[in-house]
Amino acid sequence: MKHLLNLLAAVALLVWGTHLVRTGVLRVFGGDLRRLLQRSLGNRFSAALAGIGVTALVQSSTATSLMTSSFVGQGLITLPSALAVMRGADIGTALMSVLFSTDLSWLSPLFIFTGVVLSITRPASPAGRFGRILIGLGLMLLALQLVVQATGPLFESEAMRAVIASITSDLMLEITVGAALAVVAYSSLAVVLLVAAMATGAVVPLDVALGLVLGANLGSGLLAVLTTAKSPPAVRQVTVGNFLFKLLGVVIAAPFVGLVLRQAPTSLVDSPAQLVVMFHLAFNVIASVAFIGLTTAVAKLSMKLVPVPRTPATGTRPRHLDPSALSTPTLAISNAAREALHQADVVESMLIGVLTVIRSNDLRLAEELRKMDDQVDRLYSDIKYYLTKISREALGEEESRRWTDIISFTINMEQIGDIIERVISDIEDKKIRPHRNFSEAGMAEIVEMHERLVANLRLGMSVFLNGNVRDAQKLLEEKVRFRDLERAYANTHLTRLMDRTAPSMETSSLHIDLISDLKRINSHICSIAYPILDSAGALAPSRLRSSLVGAEDPH
């Protein structure tokens, strides 16, 4: 029992080390890796090379699959390009298995010591996050040593030999077991390294080891399919297509396992572990090179197996909150930002519709616009809930700031939706049903404020998306202009009341409330600029005091 616990602990340490490296790399380099993928998708060969590089760093073809799937779901790349990336990703993870199979045990204490020092002394800095990557690498190397040490005594028992013998000469069972291990461990890399270590200790015969490796490859594809099971169809098409490639490769390679064992060149392979990882590498290289020309055909098959519904999605449903991206914080933050812009699009439609209701007295449109506020509220709740499921500890400083910006943006959009709903109700009660109209001058003022407000909303959405400091400054300047405009129009309205203008007298309460509500909406829009300017150091702490002094100083 003790030896079994030692083995299980070593396997758990290997999986945990792989997890630390994967999450650490995504924290530190996640944004750069996503940009590298996007820039390298001009053709299938550059896409495959990008897949090799990204997966070699992340040490997980599943993580690369989730990033690439999200790009397809957002319409940034085509499905064939994404499948080409995955061909390279398989080679990348195989290359890492070759690297870790070499004797790097002397690096384990160095990596762990350096990583702990960096993570403790500088926990919130990039150096501290890089330290956690080193800890993960050190734990992986240490775990491989422990696996070798634990398997020897354990598999000397008759019971364990009987278990191993039961799967010998049954290739389908070997592949099934390997696939199951990859799914449970959430890493085909960890399973391949485990099998290599067990082959070194003669725990499993070489033919069984190679069968388990084929199963681990199949399991990594199945894992991605299961991870994206609740994602939109466009996302699932990538993982299904990648699984089809893996399945085809395993079906073709399985009959040749015995031939590989007989023909393996002893000059190149001098140990069982090396044979296992080199078989893993050769399988992925040959399959990727042979199948890269089939990406278009497999993409068409994937689209048939996972069709996209023809009916358009309603505005009430989130479009970009892919649950499978939550394991990649950088990607999840990007998805939440895109959904926040979707929420802002609904708000913009409501705002544009307000003027149409005022002009046409359309009660039916007014009802539709008020219902759209429910959509805005639901999207706000969905985005907020999605963000709370992202581990804050897994976010870097910039991502944490973006997390806060998204929450702030969605709160402002939700409050704008509430104001618009109230404005529409007032228009129904005080203008449409009593059959009243604004004066010509009053209507012109409302139109001008409304046009400026829509322009500011669009500028605010651009500031939120791009974080441009100059546009943020321009947006904040609009707050002052809009406030002055509201005061000026309130005064001109009072002048019309003094002149006893009949339409102005009938709609006075509505007019004053309306221009005040438009100013409040503008204030919420302009608040989008504050986080951007604050991050850039462009906000003076005493800006209110300075503005008051400036107002009192005639010079």
Side-chain angles (χ1 to χ4, degrees), residues 145-316:
Q145 300 176 54
L146 295 177
V147 166
V148 174
Q149 295 173 11
T151 51
L154 176 65
F155 286 88
E156 289 178 358
S157 66
E158 293 297 327
M160 291 306 300
R161 290 184 181 276
V163 171
I164 296 299
S166 66
I167 63 173
T168 303
S169 302
D170 190 340
L171 186 58
M172 287 299 299
L173 180 58
E174 296 163 8
I175 293 174
T176 302
V177 171
L181 289 174
V183 172
V184 172
Y186 203 82
S187 171
S188 61
L189 174 62
V191 173
V192 171
L193 294 176
L194 173 63
V195 172
M198 293 171 69
T200 298
V203 173
V204 293
L206 279 176
D207 58 335
V208 175
L210 299 190
L212 293 173
V213 167
L214 289 179
N217 280 275
L218 188 63
S220 67
L222 178 60
L223 174 62
V225 171
L226 296 176
T227 305
T228 58
K230 296 183 179 180
S231 301
V235 174
R236 285 185 280 130
Q237 287 170 355
V238 179
T239 55
V240 168
N242 184 49
F243 177 74
L244 291 175
F245 273 123
K246 289 181 176 292
L247 180 61
L248 180 61
V250 169
V251 169
I252 294 175
F256 298 97
V257 170
L259 180 63
V260 170
L261 289 174
R262 291 192 299 270
Q263 301 297 327
T266 56
S267 59
L268 297 177
V269 179
D270 55 6
S271 69
Q274 193 171 11
L275 175 61
V276 169
V277 296
M278 292 305 294
F279 173 76
H280 179 49
L281 176 62
F283 168 78
N284 282 285
V285 170
I286 294 173
S288 296
V289 172
F291 296 156
I292 196 167
L294 301 177
T295 52
T296 301
V298 173
K300 292 179 180 178
L301 178 58
S302 300
M303 288 187 282
K304 290 182 179 179
L305 293 174
V306 188
V308 177
R310 294 186 178 182
T311 55
T314 62
T316 61

Side-chain angles (χ1 to χ4, degrees), residues 547-555:
S547 64
L548 292 174
V549 172
E552 295 172 357
D553 186 358
H555 304 290

Side-chain angles (χ1 to χ4, degrees), residues 357 361-363 427-436:
V357 170
N361 295 331
D362 190 339
L363 286 171
I427 293 171
E428 289 177 334
D429 296 337
K430 299 179 181 180
K431 178 182 183 293
I432 299 178
R433 291 190 176 91
H435 303 290
R436 296 169 180 168

Side-chain angles (χ1 to χ4, degrees), residues 365-550:
L365 176 60
E367 177 67 19
E368 292 176 359
L369 293 177
R370 282 194 283 107
K371 288 181 178 179
M372 289 176 70
D373 182 55
D374 295 333
Q375 300 177 19
V376 174
D377 293 342
R378 278 192 289 269
L379 287 171
Y380 165 66
S381 298
D382 290 336
I383 295 169
K384 180 175 64 175
Y385 179 65
Y386 185 79
L387 287 170
T388 58
K389 291 193 288 186
I390 302 175
S391 172
R392 296 298 299 273
E393 295 180 355
L395 299 178
E397 182 178 351
E398 181 179 349
E399 292 164 343
S400 294
R401 186 164 53 245
R402 187 59 170 165
W403 190 98
T404 305
D405 291 348
I406 295 170
I407 287 288
S408 176
F409 181 84
T410 55
I411 289 174
N412 281 306
M413 291 301 108
E414 190 269 339
Q415 291 178 342
I416 291 173
D418 290 342
I419 296 173
I420 294 175
E421 182 186 25
R422 187 172 62 252
V423 165
I424 293 172
S425 296
D426 287 346
I427 293 171
E428 289 177 334
D429 296 337
K430 299 179 181 180
K431 178 182 183 293
I432 299 178
R433 291 190 176 91
H435 303 290
R436 296 169 180 168
N437 291 299
F438 292 112
S439 67
E440 186 175 341
M443 189 64 193
E445 293 169 357
I446 292 171
V447 169
E448 182 180 352
M449 292 185 73
H450 181 272
E451 290 176 349
R452 185 181 289 270
L453 193 61
V454 172
N456 288 349
L457 176 59
R458 290 170 177 167
L459 178 60
M461 293 166 67
S462 175
V463 169
F464 171 74
L465 179 62
N466 301 317
N468 186 282
V469 175
R470 181 173 297 179
D471 286 344
Q473 291 172 333
K474 181 180 177 182
L475 184 61
L476 202 56
E477 291 168 0
E478 283 293 320
K479 184 174 183 178
V480 179
R481 294 194 187 101
F482 209 92
R483 181 187 61 200
D484 294 342
L485 194 64
E486 185 260 346
R487 289 177 179 172
Y489 286 163
N491 290 332
T492 57
H493 176 72
L494 292 176
T495 301
R496 289 193 296 273
L497 291 179
M498 294 173 64
D499 293 339
R500 312 295 293 181
T501 304
S504 296
M505 295 177 67
E506 292 176 348
T507 59
S508 177
S509 174
L510 176 61
H511 188 95
I512 293 297
D513 288 344
L514 182 57
I515 62 176
S516 177
D517 285 333
L518 293 180
K519 187 190 76 169
R520 289 183 59 202
I521 292 174
N522 190 70
S523 296
H524 284 295
I525 295 172
C526 293
S527 65
I528 298 170
Y530 286 118
I532 307 300
L533 296 175
D534 187 41
S535 300
L539 278 180
S542 58
R543 60 183 183 275
L544 177 60
R545 184 181 304 170
S546 299
S547 64
L548 292 174
V549 172

